[in-house]
Every structure is written in structure tokens, then in C-alpha cells.
DNA sequence: ATCCTGATTTTTTTT
DNA sequence: AAATCAGGAT
């Protein structure tokens, strides 16, 4: 090592690591398990380890596969490594499991009977397809929702149980039904040349099991494999890693090999250079089939594995750590860790009870305001909650007090209808068998192709074994279609063909069905690839999509057009960084399919709101956890279904996000599904030793604390705000006396002139921001156009959180 | 085929 | 409270 030209760098690299960290970083070949407590610097260790491997010539950049849990984490990891190396990381694979699999499958898809343009279906698409399959089986959609059914199928797939194996082990009528649907679902997916998220993993495993030379190639390519958040890997991911590094074990714990099941590769032939990092106490994704045993049993899988424990925490004060330790101690099992910190005791944890969800939000916002006045910055503050639904009231309150915030996760840009439509068009151009996309766009905008026509086309395609595209391209051949339908379809397909030619996409001939085509498709498709942005623009124009929106002449439609412009803009950025000659459209589609947290900008100067799950891996000087009530957190379903330990781990994750200040709040009364519910404080609060808590006697707190806080305008809007609108309106009548729906009253209000709003008046809405009244309708409804997103909405003046500005 | 209205559902958490 | 869905009217 002394002769290493990077000796200086190396020294520097190892300098400020503690002993176990250094041991993990400098571990040479062979399996390595890093048990990293919260805040113990695991990401840092991973990044340093990668840099170490390169500096010591144990690996080239292109020989490293580093798996992270989210795209965001991947980006950060790459950045860190680049900073350590002082140069780029060309050729290094730093990405999620799903992205890595998609990349491998693009190159090898032909072997599995797919074309390389296969479509990736997101959750919503997959559910749609599930619904179709369930309908085909004749399932009562009332009793079994597509979501529930798809969950079953997804669970099976992530345990590498295919439709045939599933059928062999059915043990109930319900499972038999699922087996029927699973069959059809799989058949259709394959016919459509599409994969769902689970397939990306499952098919990659298939590929590596089926083709030794492929497996060897990737095994040679990736000399070192590193995995972050190992405690949240599922069985398919576990298996994939075994295949990539060699080594391994029985197919699935507690799952007996079925007759006909593929033999498991078990030879200790690979390099076994697998380094995993995780914390069993932070395993919070079992609902996604994550199997905590993967980390618990790592040392059994690799008896010679080196195990390193990171227990010094560099993030939080001792008070916060003690609370976290005390809570997690209520879980049984797990690997013992003793987190400790040198940062001192710190202040106690603030625990507050509020009357209702609005009071809770006002407390949180007021406290944030106070901290800001003391010199904190918005970017240092995060508000966490169990479910996305809890963000609404917080958002309303933040908006009302004019405080800049961002929400991570939640409703995403790519889930908006107009965006999904545009994407579906692209997808159909690339993949003519994509029925889900075809169904979505064929009559959007309206062109007189309704359900009946669609059903006939689909049935025709099905019976002839051709793609929807082919069936629709010859409408006169579809039996039972009227002249109007034939004409409409003809016009639609003319447009689509023209667009496809522009895209320069060749549709692979023949069905990508059944028979695995060993070395088919090595011919390179060398079309240059039109800029995706241009294609999108052309598509939106030629299909009449934008025109139809313009014709609506509503502000809402205008907003949609703006969203589409944003999409085109994003595509243009993609084009700018896309490799020349790449199959741009397919690459673009893949990127947006896998980058769900695309709008996860962590702009400076914003208070951050997100679910506890989304907070994993992050840290903030100030953390609020709202909604600490039984039923909310722990979630009622977790209580019912015995998921308490995982909820507790989630609480542990939340607590350990905090560096200096931690606030836990709960409300006595909260609106759930619009109805008021009363909950008890979370049981997890009771698990925190009281000497760590700062909990004022209840009487000390009153709702109006906020008066006078912050900028005058903000505070003013506040006072006049929701509390008043919601609880004080019926004079003398407390909220509890209000009937849920009182139409008579609503009628009377009309006389009030929609609660006093006038046309053209400037108003502010708690969630949507500034707007102007563009219409007054009977029954107290006002129409407001909002400046923020350009939308126009109808609001109940009485109930909506809207007031004059 | 499309539009409207009332009923029903939604809330875990995400690649 | 908001979104989706089904059924019925046009």
C-alpha cells in the first residue's frame, strides 16, 4: 500500500473515520455485513469504501455496482464518491435495484421473449391491468379490489413464485381465484411486451438463472457489489444478489421446493464480494415484501462474512438517542446495538397535546415561526407524519401563514391525467402491443371511439393474436364495427403511424411471445432518435390533444396545458443529456417510470413535509412528528394486523432523524375521512422515559398562542383563519353539534350571497393560495381561479378554507 | 357516446 | 374533503 500512487489520498480518506468505520472501508475481498445504527455514518462508509476500492486498484469504476433504495440516494451517493475521488464515476453503476434490472433487461430482453422496447408499468398501470384480468375471470369487483388482488400477485412475484407455482400451492378458494387472475395477468403482460415493477426483479433473476453466460458476464463485470438499506430487500433482490456474487442457499426460507420449480444455483463459484449495509431496527417496508431475515441471516448465508457494527451516532443528542433506544427496546428480537453520542445530552423532547388537527398544525407552524425568528433556517426543519393524508391540514396552515414549504412524495407530477396521457402516447408509439396505453389514449381527446368500439378492437386483436396496433390499423377488418367507428379509428391510426415514422421507431415484427429466442435481436437499431421533446410536441399537436384542451376554455385546461409544457421542457433537458444514438424514447420512458420522486427537489429555504417512510436516510436539526395518536401512528391497520413492531421501527426511524430538537404532537380530535374522530395518544409516547420529555401541564397551552407570531399579515390571516371558520361559526353551537350534511342550512346560505363573496374579489385559500372569485353559484358555491396552478375550482364558501384577502 | 349526478370509497407506507 | 365510480338521462 505504501507504493500506491494514491497514498496521500488514501491517508486522507481514512483519516477521520472511527475504528469500525475504517474496518468496514478497508475490508478487502469477500462478504461484509455492516450493521449501521441510525446516524452512524453508513452512507459515508459506503462512499468511502467505493473510493477505497478504486484507490487501491481493487476495482475500476466500471466494476462497481452500488445499489441504493431510491433514485435520490443514488444521486447523492454518486456525488459523494465523485467528491472523494475528485473526478467522475463513468461506468459505475450507482442506482436502485429496479433501475439496474431495467438496464440489464434492456440489453437482454430478447432472451426472455421481450423486445428491448418493453414497457414498464407503474403501480397504476398494473392495477388497471389487474382489473381487466379480474373482470375476465368474472370476479366481483365489489368484494375484491384490483389493488388488493394486485398486492397478492405482487407479493408472490417478489418471492419469485410464478403463476404456475402459485397455482400448485393454493390453499383456499381465494387463492384459487388469485391464481386464475395471476395466469391471465401474466399472459397479458407478456403479450403486451410489458413488465411491472416486480417483473424487473423477477425477470432479471430468471435471466441469470437461465443463461449461465449472461450470469458470468455480469458477475465478471461487477467485481464488487455494495447494497445500502439491506434490511429492506425482498426475496427477489436477495436472490439477485446471490446470483451476481455467487454463493447462496435454498430458494426461499419456509418455502419447500415445488415439483417443477427451477433448480437453485448454489455453487460457491462467484467472487462473493458483497458488502451490505443496514439496520434491522429500521426495517419498515415489509408491506413491500421486504424480508428482515435477509439481514438477520446474512452471517448464516456467508459464514465467513466479516461483521462490523457501527454504534457511534454523529447526528443526534443523547436525549434523542435515549428516547429512540428506549422505544425500540420494546421490540423483541433484533440485533443488539448500543447507540451512543458525544454530542451531549441536549434539550428534552417536546411533547404537546392539542385540541384538534388544526390546533396541532397551528402549534407546529407557530413553533417553526418562533425558531425561524431565533435564526433557524427553513431548510433545517422537517415535519413528518404517518400518512400522506395528514399533510393537508399542515399545508393549509403553512400556506395561510405564508411560509415556504415543500412536500416530498404525495401526489406526483407524473400521475396527473394529462401527463399520463402524453406518456401513454409515447409508450404506444414505441410498443404497439401496449394495450393499457392504447386504451388510455384512443379516445382522449374524444374522437368518437367509445367502450363498445374499443372492446371489439381488443377482442379482434386477441382472437387473431396480433397487437392492438395492428388490429386498429385495419379497422375495416374488425367484425361488427360501424362505419363511423371505422372512420374514426382510421383517422386516429393515420396520425399514430405518422408519429411513429417521425419517432423513427421500428416495431419489431412478430409477437414477443412464448419461445425464448436465444440470440435474436443482436441487430442494433441504429436510428438516431428524434429528440423526445420534439416528438412530444408533435404528438400533442397532431393528436389534437392540446387543441381539445384549448377548446375547453377553462382555467383548469389552461393549467393542464402548462403542465404539458413543463413535461416537454423536462424532456428537452433529458434530450440534452441523452447519449447520441441511444434509443431516446425508450430511455426516456424508462427514466420517468423509475424516477418517482422526480420533483423531489430539496431547494434551499423550504420547510420540508413528508411521510416517515420518505424520511428514511435523512436528517434535520429540527424534526416534528405530528399525529402521534393510536390509530394514526401506529396506524390502525397495523394494530389490527399485528404490525406493531414495524410501526415501532418506523417511530424509531422518525425520532432518529432529529439532530437537536424533536417535537412530538398529537391531537385529541382529528378529522378522518371528513368525520371527527377522537384518539388516544400514541402508545409509543408512553415508551419514552418521562425524564426525557418536556411536557407542560395541559392547561398551560391554549389555542391562540400564535397571535403576534411572525409577520403581521401572516399572523393576521391566521387568526381569521381556519379555526374561526371551522369551529366558531355557529354562534354558541360547538362543532360537535353540527350535522355532517345539512342541506337545509346550505340552502339558506344562498341568501347570504355565498357567504358574502363577490365576483372579482381577491381571496386566499389555505391549500391553493391566492385566487379570484370568477363565479357565484347557487347553494353557497363560489368559483375561484387560483393563481398558483391556474386551476379553477368550485368551493363551498361555507366550508372551504377560503377567505377574503 | 357523452354528460351529469349521486353514491361510494379512500388512508398506510413506495420502487 | 376529495376522488372515483356506477347508473341514468340526454
Amino acid at each position: 500500500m505504501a507504493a500506491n500512487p494514491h497514498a496521500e489520498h488514501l491517508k486522507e480518506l481514512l483519516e477521520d473515520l472511527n475504528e469500525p468505520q475504517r474496518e468496514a472501508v478497508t475490508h478487502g475481498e469477500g462478504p461484509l455485513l455492516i450493521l449501521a445504527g441510525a446516524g452512524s455514518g453508513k452512507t459515508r462508509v459506503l462512499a468511502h469504501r467505493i473510493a477505497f476500492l478504486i484507490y487501491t486498484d481493487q476495482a475500476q469504476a466500471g466494476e462497481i455496482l452500488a445499489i441504493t433504495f431510491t433514485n435520490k440516494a443514488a444521486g447523492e451517493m454518486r456525488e459523494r464518491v465523485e467528491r472523494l475521488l475528485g473526478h467522475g464515476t463513468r461506468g459505475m453503476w450507482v442506482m436502485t435495484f429496479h433501475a439496474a434490472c431495467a438496464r440489464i433487461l434492456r440489453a437482454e430482453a430478447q432472451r426472455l421473449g421481450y423486445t428491448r422496447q418493453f414497457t414498464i408499468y407503474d403501480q397504476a398501470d398494473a392495477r388497471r391491468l389487474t382489473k381487466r384480468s379480474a373482470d375476465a375471470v368474472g370476479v366481483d369487483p365489489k368484494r375484491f379490489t384490483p389493488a388488493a388482488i394486485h398486492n397478492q400477485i405482487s407479493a408472490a412475484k417478489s418471492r419469485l413464485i410464478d403463476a404456475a407455482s402459485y397455482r400448485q400451492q393454493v390453499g383456499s378458494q381465494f387463492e384459487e381465484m388469485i391464481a386464475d387472475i395471476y395466469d391471465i395477468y401474466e399472459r397479458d403482460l407478456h403479450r403486451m411486451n410489458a413488465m411491472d415493477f416486480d417483473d424487473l426483479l423477477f425477470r432479471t433473476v430468471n435471466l441469470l438463472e437461465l443463461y449461465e453466460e449472461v450470469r458470468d458476464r455480469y458477475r465478471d463485470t461487477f467485481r464488487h457489489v455494495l447494497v445500502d438499506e439491506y434490511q429492506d430487500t425482498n426475496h427477489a433482490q436477495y436472490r439477485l444478489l446471490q446470483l451476481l456474487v455467487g454463493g447462496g442457499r435454498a430458494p426461499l426460507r419456509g418455502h419447500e421446493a415445488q415439483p417443477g420449480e427451477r433448480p437453485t444455483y448454489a455453487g460457491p463459484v462467484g467472487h462473493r464480494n458483497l458488502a451490505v449495509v443496514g439496520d434491522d431496527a429500521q426495517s419498515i417496508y415489509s408491506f413491500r415484501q421486504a424480508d428482515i431475515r435477509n439481514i438477520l441471516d446474512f452471517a448464516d448465508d456467508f459464514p465467513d462474512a466479516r461483521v462490523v457494527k457501527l454504534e457511534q451516532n454523529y447526528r443526534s443528542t443523547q436525549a434523542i438517542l435515549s428516547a429512540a433506544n428506549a422505544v425500540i427496546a420494546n421490540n423483541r428480537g433484533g440485533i443488539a446495538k448500543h447507540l451512543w453520542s458525544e454530542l451531549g445530552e441536549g434539550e428534552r423532547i417536546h411533547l404537546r397535546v392539542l385540541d384538534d388537527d388544526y390546533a396541532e398544525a397551528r402549534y407546529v407552524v407557530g413553533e417553526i415561526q418562533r425558531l425561524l425568528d431565533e435564526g433557524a433556517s427553513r431548510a433545517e426543519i422537517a415535519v413528518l407524519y404517518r400518512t400522506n393524508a395528514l399533510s393537508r391540514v399542515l399545508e393549509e396552515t403553512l400556506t395561510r401563514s405564508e411560509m415556504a414549504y415543500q412536500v416530498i412524495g404525495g401526489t406526483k407530477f407524473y400521475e396527473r391525467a394529462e401527463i399520463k396521457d402524453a406518456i401513454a402516447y409515447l409508450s404506444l408509439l414505441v410498443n404497439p402491443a401496449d394495450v393499457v396505453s392504447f386504451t388510455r389514449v384512443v379516445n382522449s381527446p374524444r374522437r368518437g371511439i367509445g367502450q363498445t368500439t374499443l372492446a371489439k378492437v381488443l377482442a379482434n386483436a386477441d382472437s387473431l393474436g396480433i397487437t392492438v396496433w395492428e388490429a386498429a390499423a385495419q379497422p375495416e377488418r374488425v367484425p361488427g364495427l360501424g362505419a363511423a367507428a371505422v372512420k374514426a379509428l382510421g383517422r386516429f391510426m393515420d396520425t399514430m403511424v405518422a408519429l411513429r415514422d417521425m419517432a423513427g421507431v421500428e416495431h419489431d415484427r412478430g409477437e414477443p411471445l412464448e419461445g425464448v429466442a436465444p440470440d435474436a435481436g443482436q441487430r442494433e437499431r441504429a436510428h438516431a432518435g428524434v429528440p423526445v421533446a420534439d416528438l412530444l410536441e408533435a404528438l400533442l399537436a397532431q393528436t389534437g390533444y392540446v387543441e381539445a384542451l384549448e377548446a375547453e376554455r377553462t382555467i383548469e385546461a389552461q393549467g393542464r396545458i402548462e403542465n404539458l409544457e413543463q413535461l416537454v421542457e423536462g424532456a428537452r433537458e433529458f434530450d440534452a443529456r441523452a447519449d447520441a444514438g441511444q434509443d431516446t424514447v425508450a430511455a426516456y420512458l424508462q427514466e420517468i417510470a423509475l424516477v418517482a420522486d422526480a420533483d423531489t427537489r430539496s431547494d434551499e429555504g423550504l420547510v420540508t413535509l413528508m411521510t416517515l417512510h420518505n424520511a428514511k436516510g435523512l436528517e434535520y436539526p429540527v424534526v416534528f412528528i405530528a399525529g402521534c395518536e393510536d390509530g394514526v401512528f401506529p396506524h390502525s391497520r397495523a394494530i389490527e394486523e399485528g404490525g406493531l413492531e414495524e410501526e415501532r421501527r418506523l417511530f424509531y426511524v422518525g425520532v432518529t432523524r432529529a439532530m437537536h430538537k424533536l417535537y412530538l404532537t398529537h391531537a385529541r380530535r382529528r378529522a378522518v375521512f371528513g368525520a371527527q374522530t377522537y384518539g388516544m395518544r400514541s402508545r409509543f409516547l408512553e415508551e419514552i422515559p418521562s425524564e426525557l420529555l418536556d411536557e407542560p401541564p395541559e392547561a398551560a397551552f391554549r389555542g391562540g398562542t400564535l397571535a403576534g407570531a411572525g409577520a403581521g399579515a401572516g399572523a393576521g390571516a391566521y387568526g381569521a383563519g381556519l379555526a374561526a371558520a371551522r369551529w366558531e361559526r355557529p354562534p354558541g353551537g360547538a362543532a360537535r353539534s353540527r350535522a355532517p350534511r345539512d342541506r337545509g342550512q346550505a340552502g339558506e346560505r344562498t341568501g347570504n350571497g355565498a357567504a358574502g363573496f363577490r365576483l372579482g374579489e381577491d381571496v386566499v385559500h389555505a391549500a391553493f393560495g391566492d385566487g379570484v372569485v370568477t363565479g357565484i353559484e347557487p347553494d353557497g358555491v363560489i368559483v375561484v381561479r387560483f393563481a398558483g396552478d391556474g386551476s379553477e375550482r368550485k368551493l363551498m364558501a361555507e366550508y372551504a378554507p377560503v377567505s377574503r384577502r
Side-chain angles (χ1 to χ4, degrees), chain A residues 5 26 44 192 197 222 261 301 393 401 457 460 484 570 632 669 673 689 705-706:
Chain A
T26 59
R44 188 148 170 268
M192 293 178 199
F197 281 148
F222 300 124
E261 193 170 332
D301 297 335
V393 174
S401 60
V457 173
N460 185 239
V632 177
R669 181 177 34 149
F673 291 142
T705 328
L706 291 171

Side-chain angles (χ1 to χ4, degrees), chain A residues 70 406 425 507 535 572 749:
Chain A
T70 64
Q406 62 175 342
Y425 270 111
H507 285 172
L535 182 60
R572 215 170 281 295
R749 236 177 289 120

Side-chain angles (χ1 to χ4, degrees), chain A residues 231-434:
Chain A
Q231 76 281 359
D232 283 323
T233 51
N234 65 27
H235 181 71
Q237 293 163 336
Y238 168 83
R239 184 88 193 97
L240 180 63
L241 291 173
Q242 302 281 356
L243 287 163
L244 279 177
V245 305
R249 194 182 44 185
L252 177 61
R253 278 175 293 266
H255 163 77
E256 286 181 50
Q258 299 296 318
E261 193 170 332
R262 275 197 204 88
T264 307
Y265 169 79
V269 186
H271 50 67
R272 300 169 80 250
N273 292 330
L274 174 63
V276 304
V277 190
D279 178 3
D280 55 293
Q282 296 185 61
S283 167
I284 55 174
Y285 280 96
S286 72
F287 67 92
R288 219 171 82 189
Q289 309 309 315
D291 189 345
I292 194 170
R293 286 172 303 182
N294 285 345
I295 192 166
L296 295 179
D297 296 350
F298 188 86
D300 296 335
D301 297 335
F302 298 97
D304 57 331
R306 182 190 303 236
V307 180
V308 178
K309 269 193 201 180
L310 307 182
E311 296 177 302
Q312 180 174 0
N313 173 294
Y314 293 93
R315 175 188 296 156
S316 311
T317 62
Q318 190 58 49
I320 290 168
L321 284 186
S322 300
N325 283 335
V327 171
I328 203 69
N330 291 284
N331 274 3
R332 24 201 303 281
I335 300 165
K337 282 176 296 293
H338 309 281
L339 277 189
W340 56 280
S341 162
E342 285 179 348
L343 299 179
E345 187 59 24
E347 59 185 78
R348 291 205 275 188
I349 295 160
H350 306 278
L351 178 58
R352 291 290 183 281
V353 201
L354 292 309
D355 281 338
D356 59 61
D357 40 359
Y358 282 90
E360 179 184 47
R362 271 179 278 131
Y363 170 73
V364 169
V365 175
E367 197 61 20
I368 291 175
Q369 190 61 256
R370 198 180 62 74
L371 293 166
L372 294 180
D373 291 345
E374 284 177 5
S377 86
R378 284 183 243 282
E380 292 173 341
I381 302 171
V383 186
L384 312 180
Y385 37 80
R386 178 65 236 264
T387 63
N388 279 308
L390 288 202
S391 78
R392 218 190 81 244
V393 174
L394 288 162
E395 286 188 66
E396 286 177 7
T397 311
L398 283 160
T399 306
R400 198 161 274 278
S401 60
E402 299 177 343
M403 190 176 291
Y405 70 90
Q406 62 175 342
V407 182
I408 308 288
T411 344
K412 287 148 209 153
F413 180 71
Y414 289 109
E415 281 169 15
R416 295 175 201 214
E418 64 276 17
I419 302 299
K420 288 221 81 168
D421 284 345
I423 300 302
Y425 270 111
L426 276 187
S427 189
L428 183 59
L429 289 177
V430 170
N431 179 5
D434 186 345

